[in-house]
Amino acid sequence: MEAEYKSYSPDTKAILEAFTAGINAYIAEIERPGGRGLPLEFQIAGFRPEPWHSEDCLNRMAAYSMTGNGEFELKHAQLVALVGAEKATSLFDFDPSVKLDPAPGLDYSGLSPAILKDLTGSDSRAPFPPRLLQESNNWTVSGALTQTGKPMLANDPHRVLAEPSLRYVVHLVAPGWNVSVLGNQDYRV
């Protein structure tokens, strides 16, 4: 663990020890006699959280979730090296439309699929055929078609589970809705 801590800034361990001490203090507070008790999901599951340690925060797997498009990024970089950024951009159908914008002077010519061979996560992904039809399951229903008269929106954004949830930090809003930002302030949009 010491080698791991050395790969971060010098005050990382102190920051994480203070952070986890705060989490543990909160758990102790809600579990004390007369406290509000653990959240319902812990009660239903029949277990209590273990004390946190600073090492619990050193999980680089959160960054792994951002590598899902590594093969595409590699293909983009290889094509930039081969034909240049402008031509490479024109050969892809980006949605939304973006331009490949490599850092000036960066040489992508040495990149190969071998750089991704050891990229692994804590999960084992099921192999799918390379030409699998990829669709999404987003849908909406007009308020004119619902019993309440309010529209419905559902989506499957393929986001990693995180705390705080992206939906907690960033709200989907429509004109006229009252929203809370992080539960602290109400705004009318």
Side-chain angles (χ1 to χ4, degrees):
M1 285 312 300
E2 287 309 312
E4 181 69 11
Y5 278 119
K6 287 179 182 175
S7 71
Y8 297 96
S9 70
D11 57 353
T12 297
K13 189 171 184 177
I15 291 169
L16 295 179
E17 286 173 347
F19 175 71
T20 55
I23 292 171
N24 293 331
Y26 176 74
I27 293 170
E29 174 68 21
I30 63 174
E31 288 189 306
R32 70 174 169 70
R36 69 175 217 188
L38 290 171
L40 181 63
E41 53 269 27
F42 283 93
Q43 295 173 32
I44 290 172
F47 67 91
R48 63 175 301 276
E50 295 180 8
W52 280 45
H53 305 282
S54 56
E55 292 80 17
D56 296 332
C57 302
L58 297 179
N59 179 354
R60 295 181 184 208
M61 292 311 298
Y64 178 75
S65 67
M66 295 181 278
T67 64
N69 69 338
E71 290 181 32
F72 293 112
E73 295 292 333
L74 177 61
K75 288 177 186 175
H76 299 160
Q78 289 175 317
L79 201 54
V80 165
L82 192 64
V83 299
E86 188 174 335
K87 178 69 174 168
T89 298
S90 71
L91 297 174
F92 290 105
D93 184 25
F94 293 120
D95 183 19
S97 180
V98 295
K99 292 183 179 182
L100 293 171
D101 185 23
L106 201 55
D107 181 10
Y108 295 116
S109 62
L111 296 178
S112 78
I115 66 172
L116 299 177
K117 75 177 179 64
D118 292 324
L119 184 64
T120 59
S122 61
D123 61 342
S124 296
R125 296 187 181 194
F128 291 102
R131 303 292 288 166
L132 180 71
L133 178 63
Q134 293 184 358
E135 297 290 336
S136 190
N137 53 354
N138 301 331
W139 53 268
T140 60
V141 177
S142 166
L145 302 174
T146 66
Q147 192 171 17
T148 64
K150 296 181 179 180
M152 292 192 305
L153 164 70
N155 71 350
D156 180 10
H158 306 279
R159 297 268 180 207
V160 68
L161 295 176
E163 267 312 312
S165 165
L166 177 66
R167 297 302 177 268
Y168 184 69
V169 176
V170 180
H171 295 274
L172 296 174
V173 297
W177 287 11
N178 286 321
V179 297
S180 292
V181 179
L182 294 179
N184 295 327
Q185 179 66 45
D186 288 335
Y187 296 93
R188 183 154 177 86
V189 179

